[in-house]
Amino acid sequence: KAVAHWFRWDLRLADNTGLYRAAESAKSHGLPLICLYIFSHQDFEAHCTSPARIDFCLRTLQVLKDDLAKLDIPLWVEEVTDRKRMQSHIIDWCDKWGVNELHANMLYEVDELRRDAKLVREGVKKDLSFTVHHDTCVVEPMVLRSGAGKTYSVFTPFFKSWEPYLYRNKCVQDLFPPPGKNDPKYNTEETFKELFSQAAFPTPNAGKQLEQKVAQRLKKLWPAGEHEARSRLRRFLEERVSKYVDTRNRPDNDSGTSGLSVHFAAGTLSARQAVRACMDHNKAKTLDSGHHGWIREICFRDFYKQILAANPHVCMNKAYHEEYHNVTWEYNEEHFQRWVEGKTGYPIVDAAMRQLATNKYMHNRCRMIVASFLCKDLLLDWRKGENYFMSQLIDGDFASNNAGWQFCSSSGTDAQPYFRIFNPLTQSEKFDPDGEYIRRWIPELSKLEGKAIHDPAGRLSPAEFKKLGYPEPIVEHKAARERALERYKTGLGKN
Ligand code: FAD
C-alpha cells in the first residue's frame, strides 16, 4: 500500500496542506509516499491556459522532481489525451502502485470541482479514499460572512473582516513544513524503481507552441520553482515593500510591485507564506503602509477566489450581475485585432498590449486601462478580452482574471459603476508621467518629448505624426464614451 499526493496548481513542498497531510498519513501508517502530476492538453485548451504558463509549470515540475528525489519521493508526470478520462486514469494509476489514499488541494473552478467529486465517488468503489484540502487562500472561501450571514460581494467589508480573522485565528502562524525534515525515508529506489526512473516529462503540445527563443527569454525573465519564489519575495521585502503604496500604480517602475503573481498562480509560493513573511519583515508593532498595502492586495486574491466559490455561474461565461447580459456588444474583429497587436493609436494601451505579448505579463494599472478600453471605448464583449488575457498571461488565474475583467466591464462584484469610464490619455499622463513606459514598448514613439508621447495624433502636426509610422486612434475617446454610456443605459433599462 502507499499514500499519494496529486499536485495541481500547488507546485511546492513548503506550506502545502495536501502534501503535508499525505506525508503525515504515510508516516503514521509506515507507508511510502509518492506524488503525481497529470495533465490533459484538452484541459489546457478548454481553459485557454497560455503556453507561457504551461512552460513555467513544466520548468517548475523539474525543480519539484529534483527536490522530491532528494527526499526519496518519486514524482510521476503523466499525460491523458481525453480529459473526461482523467478520473479513471488516476484510479488506474493508484491501483497500479497500491495507492489507497490520495490527497490534493482544492481548486474552486466548476470543472475541477465536478472532476474531484466524480473521483471521490468512483474512488470509493475501488477502495480509494480521495481527500481535497483547502489550501490556496489565506482564509478558506465562504468562511467570512456579513452580519446577515451572507458571503461578501464588496471588497472593503471583506477586507475589514479578513484582517482581524487572520490574527484571531492565527492563520499564518504555523505554516506546514515540507516533508522530509526529520522524517524517516519515504521510499527506497528499489521499491519504486519504475516511478523514479521516468527520464523526461511528456511535453504538452501547447508548451511546444513557444518558440525556442521565446522560451529561453521567458526562462530568464521568470525563473521557475519555489526557491526562486522565496528569494523574489525576500528581495521584494528587503528592497521595495516599504515604498509599495507609492510605487504600485506606476507601470514605468519595473520594480514597483512584487512580480510574484506567477508564483501565486502556479502555487510555487503560498499566500500564507507571503503574508507571514511580510508581517515578520515589518519590525514595528503595527504594520506600516507599505506592508499593510501589500497584504491588502493579497487579500484581493482571497476575495476573488471566494467570489468564484460562492458564485459558480461566473465560471460559465456569465456576468456576476446578470442584467449586464443585456448590454449589446460590437463584434468588430478589426478593432479586436488592433487591440491585440497594440495598434489602437492610444500609446498607453498599445504599450501595455505589447508588454503582454512580449513578457506574458502586464502591470495591474495597465490591465485596468486596456480592459476598460476594450469594453467601453471599443464596446467589445469583455469575455473576448478575458480569454485573450488567459491565452497570454504567465500568471493567468481564472478567479483574478475573470473578476478583473468583470470589474472593468462594470458587471462584476464591487464593480466600478458603468458611467465611470477610464480616459486613456489622462491615465497615461497620471501613471506614466514621463512616458518612460510608453517609450520602452513603442519604438515608433521613442524620440517624442513632453506630452506628445501620450497623445501623438492630438499634439503633433499631421506631417510630424505621419513620419512616426504609428497608427491614428481607432476611435475618438469622447465619442466612444458617449456611445458606451448610451449602450449600457439601454441594456440596463435606464433610458
Ligand atoms: P503585487 O502588486 O505585488 O500584488 C501582490 C499579489 O496580490 C499579486 O501577485 C496577486 O496575487 C495579488 N493581487 C494584486 N492585485 C490584485 C487584484 N487586482 N486582483 C487579484 N489579486 C491581486 N492577477 C493574477 O494573478 N492573474 C490574472 O490572470 C489576473 N488578471 C487580471 C485581469 C485584469 C483585467 C485585471 C484588472 C487584473 C488582473 N489580475 C490578475 C490582478 C493583478 O493585475 C495582478 O495580480 C498583478 O498585476 C500581479 O503583479 P504583482 O505580482 O507584481 O502584484
Side-chain angles (χ1 to χ4, degrees):
K1 297 257 179 255
V3 179
H5 176 69
W6 172 18
F7 282 103
R8 287 104 76 99
W9 296 113
D10 58 334
L11 302 172
R12 65 182 182 281
L13 301 190
D15 193 40
N16 182 325
T17 314
L19 178 64
Y20 177 80
R21 295 285 177 223
E24 278 284 290
S25 180
K27 245 186 328 188
S28 71
H29 294 103
L31 292 174
L33 172 66
I34 60 182
C35 292
L36 169 69
Y37 180 84
I38 187 161
F39 66 86
S40 154
H41 181 53
Q42 284 183 352
D43 247 352
F44 287 144
E45 249 180 28
H47 298 138
C48 295
T49 312
S50 74
R53 191 169 183 223
I54 297 170
D55 176 65
F56 186 85
C57 168
L58 288 174
R59 287 191 277 124
T60 294
L61 283 169
Q62 193 60 63
V63 177
L64 201 58
K65 189 172 171 115
D66 294 346
D67 287 347
L68 283 165
K70 285 181 203 143
L71 304 171
D72 302 303
I73 302 168
L75 168 67
W76 185 253
V77 179
E78 181 112 345
E79 177 171 5
V80 215
T81 315
D82 180 357
R83 69 196 283 238
K84 294 207 188 77
R85 282 194 33 80
M86 183 84 89
Q87 299 88 346
S88 54
H89 211 88
I90 291 172
I91 290 173
D92 291 348
W93 184 86
C94 289
D95 198 36
K96 180 171 175 191
W97 296 107
V99 172
N100 63 347
E101 191 182 322
L102 177 67
H103 293 259
N105 290 315
M106 194 174 292
L107 300 168
Y108 300 101
E109 290 85 348
V110 169
D111 272 0
E112 278 71 7
L113 287 173
R114 282 195 183 131
R115 182 184 60 196
D116 287 357
K118 193 165 168 205
L119 185 54
V120 171
R121 286 196 304 272
E122 300 287 313
V124 167
K125 294 183 208 154
K126 302 274 179 158
D127 207 20
L128 168 70
S129 102
F130 174 43
T131 313
V132 275
H133 304 268
H134 289 289
D135 176 71
T136 188
C137 295
V138 182
V139 177
E140 181 183 314
M142 320 288 269
V143 163
L144 301 176
R145 304 273 172 159
S146 68
K150 293 196 168 145
T151 54
Y152 289 96
S153 60
V154 176
F155 176 73
T156 306
F158 178 82
F159 181 57
K160 281 194 180 146
S161 157
W162 184 87
E163 203 180 15
Y165 184 92
L166 211 71
Y167 289 103
R168 220 172 37 242
N169 295 279
K170 304 188 166 80
C171 294
V172 295
Q173 191 175 37
D174 299 313
L175 305 182
F176 294 119
K181 283 205 175 138
N182 313 317
D183 290 349
K185 267 184 174 300
Y186 284 100
N187 295 297
T188 63
E189 286 244 1
E190 275 315 301
T191 340
F192 291 105
K193 211 170 182 168
E194 198 187 327
L195 274 179
F196 275 109
S197 68
Q198 188 182 49
F201 299 146
T203 315
N205 295 341
K208 282 190 198 154
Q209 286 169 13
L210 271 187
E211 284 169 28
Q212 202 56 22
K213 236 171 67 193
V214 177
Q216 283 306 326
R217 209 171 38 73
L218 292 179
K219 193 172 164 187
K220 254 191 167 163
L221 194 60
W222 304 109
E226 66 184 300
H227 309 290
E228 166 62 24
R230 287 199 293 271
S231 70
R232 194 180 265 258
L233 172 64
R234 221 175 301 121
R235 286 198 306 273
F236 173 69
L237 293 174
E238 292 296 314
E239 296 161 18
R240 312 195 304 268
V241 71
S242 49
K243 289 176 254 154
Y244 178 71
V245 173
D246 299 325
T247 57
R248 63 178 286 268
N249 265 314
R250 292 287 297 266
D252 52 347
N253 181 348
D254 258 348
S255 40
T257 65
S258 69
L260 280 166
S261 50
V262 59
H263 291 289
F264 290 125
T268 37
L269 185 70
S270 76
R272 288 181 301 268
Q273 286 173 296
V275 172
R276 170 65 189 270
C278 187
M279 285 175 171
D280 286 352
H281 181 263
N282 187 89
K283 300 284 179 281
K285 212 165 170 203
T286 49
L287 293 174
D288 68 25
S289 64
H291 291 78
H292 190 250
W294 196 63
I295 289 174
R296 186 173 179 277
E297 291 307 304
I298 301 216
C299 177
F300 259 110
R301 182 178 172 276
D302 266 24
F303 177 60
Y304 290 144
K305 295 261 183 218
Q306 85 97 42
I307 290 293
L308 173 67
N311 304 278
H313 69 278
V314 302
C315 276
M316 298 159 190
N317 271 327
K318 295 201 170 124
Y320 175 81
H321 288 300
E322 305 214 10
E323 65 271 25
Y324 281 81
H325 288 296
N326 300 328
V327 175
T328 310
W329 304 107
E330 294 289 306
Y331 288 91
N332 185 327
E333 200 46 40
E334 195 207 326
H335 276 184
F336 181 66
Q337 280 313 321
R338 296 274 291 266
W339 178 81
V340 162
E341 289 165 18
K343 291 183 179 163
T344 65
Y346 283 89
I348 191 75
V349 174
D350 294 344
M353 294 307 292
R354 294 183 198 189
Q355 179 185 29
L356 175 63
T358 311
N359 285 358
K360 307 301 171 189
Y361 171 88
M362 190 192 288
H363 189 278
N364 181 58
R365 170 59 46 186
C366 297
R367 293 188 204 207
M368 292 195 283
I369 296 172
V370 305
S372 174
F373 190 80
L374 183 105
C375 316
K376 305 274 172 72
D377 287 67
L378 302 182
L379 256 180
L380 297 175
D381 191 332
W382 58 271
R383 284 163 290 212
K384 267 181 91 91
E386 180 199 7
N387 281 346
Y388 179 70
F389 261 37
M390 282 308 273
S391 77
Q392 296 295 307
L393 283 171
I394 195 162
D395 67 5
D397 170 80
F398 180 84
S400 296
N401 190 48
N402 178 271
W405 276 94
Q406 296 225 32
F407 170 83
C408 295
S409 76
S410 301
S411 65
T413 60
D414 211 12
Q416 57 170 336
Y418 73 89
F419 46 82
R420 250 187 57 199
I421 298 181
F422 274 14
N423 179 330
L425 302 180
T426 46
Q427 288 284 315
S428 183
E429 286 183 19
K430 187 161 174 200
F431 297 109
D432 182 27
D434 302 322
E436 286 300 322
Y437 177 72
I438 295 174
R439 248 176 239 111
R440 199 175 310 148
W441 291 106
I442 311 189
E444 303 95 291
L445 306 182
S446 62
K447 297 212 167 64
L448 289 189
E449 303 282 344
K451 291 201 167 185
I453 188 91
H454 304 290
D455 180 17
R459 290 186 181 262
L460 300 179
S461 71
E464 282 171 325
F465 180 76
K466 204 161 170 225
K467 270 197 238 147
L468 296 173
Y470 180 70
E472 297 256 5
I474 53 174
V475 287
E476 198 261 313
H477 174 68
K478 216 165 147 217
R481 182 176 183 281
E482 291 308 315
R483 178 179 70 161
L485 287 176
E486 204 45 48
R487 198 70 68 83
Y488 268 81
K489 260 196 237 163
T490 310
L492 298 172
K494 293 190 189 291
N495 264 342

